[in-house]
Amino acid sequence: MSIIELKNVDTIYDGEEFPTIRNINLEINQGEFVCVMGPNGAGKTTLLETVNGLLDHTNGRVSVLGENIKNDGTEIRKRVGYLLQNFSFSPDEPFLVEDVVMMGRVGRIGILNSPDEKDWDTVYECMDLVGVSEFAKKPIGKLSGGEQQKVMLARVMAQEPEILLLDEPFTNLDFKAKEELQKLIINIYEKRNLTTLMVTHDVGSVPKVSSRIVLMDGGQIVLEGNPQEVIESKTWKSVYGLTLGG
């Protein structure tokens, strides 16, 4: 069953003359893990922001969880977890890790309501899930970049999302931190069968559980299909500037 559907979608940033993404047709089925790839400026992040209703598309239709994102964006975003690119806290950030993860519950409990025992149980379950429970009472600014990214993933999971959107989740992480985070993402997907749409520019970051690669270039989808077939295609080599023999 299609859980994300874009039909003939264009999205233009305010002040721009031409669409950043155009004529996008894409369907993501329940339980799929799909990677969106392409060079810088291909429109990958714009696609995620359009799916999440953070950017208003100018043409076409975007349907998420069976609802029109234009009409029901606020409610849909409560059901969609979005891990942002390059999100980090300064060393003097005072928020405790457990409080940062609890922020993921706000959409469910309301801004003016206090969390109850169930909310705290969910928070600690999500911290256990990503391996940051030991940092619960520690200021998040004191953690490493990789540890902070795990906390942000726990915060997203505390939202209890039905869809997970990941925007370059491994950016600026060293090899060990990247490897640990990738294993966590795979574990979450396999345990919860959570429909996942991940943006990455690095072919080495495509998880083995990926069912498809969607290849973008110049704001358009130029190819999609089985990861191995896409990576071995002439279109892939052309988009990434590789010689046909390389």
Side-chain angles (χ1 to χ4, degrees), residues 10 18 41 44 50 103 143 154 162 170 217:
D10 295 351
F18 301 105
K44 304 183 298 295
T50 301
M103 292 174 190
L143 304 187
E162 297 170 54
F170 311 115
D217 190 33

Side-chain angles (χ1 to χ4, degrees), residues 74-137:
T74 300
E75 290 303 311
I76 290 170
R77 279 190 290 277
K78 293 178 183 179
R79 302 165 64 189
V80 177
Y82 188 16
L83 186 64
L84 299 171
Q85 181 182 177
N86 286 333
F87 194 97
S88 62
F89 294 88
S90 65
D92 57 353
E93 185 61 65
F95 290 113
L96 300 182
V97 165
E98 63 181 7
D99 294 326
V100 172
V101 179
M102 179 58 78
M103 292 174 190
R105 300 291 298 165
V106 170
R108 290 189 174 270
I109 66 180
I111 296 176
L112 301 179
N113 297 321
S114 298
D116 60 19
E117 185 176 349
K118 178 185 181 298
D119 294 312
W120 281 111
D121 285 346
T122 300
V123 163
Y124 273 85
E125 177 188 341
C126 292
M127 287 193 293
D128 284 342
L129 182 67
V130 304
V132 296
S133 295
E134 64 184 294
F135 306 129
K137 302 291 186 182

Side-chain angles (χ1 to χ4, degrees), residues 150-190:
K150 288 181 183 179
V151 172
M152 296 308 293
L153 181 58
R155 183 172 84 165
V156 167
M157 294 309 298
Q159 188 180 335
E160 297 181 281
E162 297 170 54
I163 296 172
L164 183 59
L165 304 179
L166 305 170
D167 189 2
E168 296 281 8
F170 311 115
T171 300
N172 296 329
L173 299 184
D174 61 29
F175 178 79
K176 182 181 178 183
K178 172 185 167 182
E179 188 176 51
E180 289 178 354
L181 186 62
Q182 187 181 57
K183 286 179 180 177
L184 282 174
I185 290 169
I186 292 171
N187 182 52
I188 288 168
Y189 170 73
E190 291 182 331

Side-chain angles (χ1 to χ4, degrees), residues 222-234:
V222 295
L223 186 64
E224 63 174 297
N226 173 278
Q228 184 173 351
E229 292 175 355
V230 171
I231 292 168
E232 292 177 354
S233 70
K234 290 182 179 180

Side-chain angles (χ1 to χ4, degrees), residues 8-32:
N8 305 317
V9 170
D10 295 351
T11 298
I12 302 176
Y13 283 98
D14 286 343
E16 297 291 327
E17 184 177 357
F18 301 105
T20 302
I21 59 173
R22 60 190 187 280
N23 196 32
I24 298 295
N25 289 280
L26 179 65
E27 289 189 30
I28 309 294
N29 294 322
Q30 173 72 46
E32 273 198 289

